[in-house]
Amino acid sequence: MDSISIVGEKALHGRVGVAGAKNACLALMPAALLSEHPLTLTNVPRLSDIGTMTRLMRSLGAEVSSIQEGKVLAISAYRISHSRADYDIVRRMRASILVLGPLLARTGKAIVSLPGGCAIGARPVDLHLSALEALGAKLDLAEGYVTAVANGGLNGARIEFPFPSVGATETAIMAASLARGTTAIVNAAREPEIVDLANCLNKMGAKISGAGRNVIEVEGTDSLNGATHQVIADRIELGTYMIASAITGGEIELVGGRREFIGAFAEKLEQAGVEIADTADGIRVARNSMIGAVDIETAPYPGFPTDLQAQMMSMLTIADGKSVLEEKIFENRFMHVPELARLGASIELSGGTATVTGVQKLKGAPVMATDLRASASLILAALAAEGTSVVRRVYHLDRGYEQMVEKLSACGASIERFSE
Ligand code: UD1
């Protein structure tokens, strides 16, 4: 198992290229199942989650060709030979559930293993299922699998979500694209990845309007074409490197980074005293003063992203004062807290609220990564800590960060990956 060792307290300076968005790509790949014509995705991040989705797509009969070392994926679902997504793959990644909608819409049947719980809370899929039911699917849950059938095809309907779930909105958009008639998705998620999916589907001939707003309308079509689509930049990777610059008191230019998609996060960074400037190629992030304490509440987009809560917490562990972080999207998304405490952070947990009292210095220690974003928060904290830290179980990191060690060392970090 690989670990990462970091000698901290080095201000980072340099340029980092922002990769394509993992979460956009994990919805765009299943969208290829909606058409018998190929979908080519460019700006694909090279991550283990993309590898998992590739395996899942292949297991259904899709051909996935990796071009330019994986930066481009050509996916052809001309023939779908299996309608069953097995537990063995689905258990590795919750986003596997995103094949359910397109598989059902295209072939009239889908059997998908339920993803089950994971490290950051229960995360059920009931909203995905109720959306498909509203479109006329018959569902059966047995032995850990959901079987969805729509013999005469799906029919457009009004789907109203009690909560703007990202994944369920994606399921609904994809399934409704091949349904008969019009679908209205009310209280839809508004994340940039939803807009990216809708843009790609529209290139394939779908008729989707309102993506990025509360209500999305989808006029179903009989079939979809192929397309070529460039995946948007990863706003979570962007935010993580913005904190790498801020936490070390350095200056990093994020090439391809746009402030537009990280508004709420950027505002909080600025409140904490971090300087953010637009450049010709992206944005530049620098910190020249003490980090100020700020309060955070995670929320659906355009609010503060839950996927940056752990990283932000790392930065606030060395802020001047007390910060209160409220996690409103996932229960149990504070697995990084005891590990940050090992590095000397002072954090009090009470339900979904973490109160962080800034300390003058973090101190290097061995720590263990528990999930993707928690791993990133430990790397960030270690970059600021005095002495050496070793972060174990970094396979979590490989799910969502392309070449993190290389990117950080190019900015002057003393960081090394090794096998134990
Ligand atoms: C996506 C992102 C993930 C991010 C999250 C919230 C991908 C691949 N992953 O996850 O990185 O943290 O959005 O921004 O895009 N819920 C239900 N029932 C459902 C679906 C969700 O109760 O059927 C709940 C979840 O348990 C959670 C909340 O809704 O508490 C948010 O989940 P959702 O927006 O669906 O997140 P994901 O699509 O899983």
Side-chain angles (χ1 to χ4, degrees), residues 22-23 26 94-95 98 120 122-128 163-168 170 191 306-307 329-331 333 373:
K22 167 180 87 76
N23 287 351
L26 289 176
R94 187 185 144 76
L98 292 174
I120 54 172
R123 303 182 87 178
V125 292
D126 53 317
L127 303 177
H128 296 248
F163 175 87
S165 154
V166 175
E170 291 165 345
E191 271 69 1
T306 174
D307 285 352
I329 306 294
F330 292 112
E331 74 224 55
R333 199 175 197 179
R373 305 306 169 185

Side-chain angles (χ1 to χ4, degrees), residues 29-37 56-63 75-85 99-111 178:
M29 292 173 72
L33 294 169
L34 290 165
S35 172
E36 58 181 43
H37 303 286
L56 178 55
M57 297 285 293
R58 284 180 178 149
S59 77
L60 301 170
E63 285 170 24
I75 310 172
S76 166
Y78 172 72
R79 199 177 65 98
I80 294 179
S81 53
H82 290 84
S83 45
R84 181 183 162 103
V99 300
L100 176 63
L103 206 50
L104 172 69
R106 170 92 181 277
T107 68
K109 186 170 183 184
I111 307 168
L178 287 186

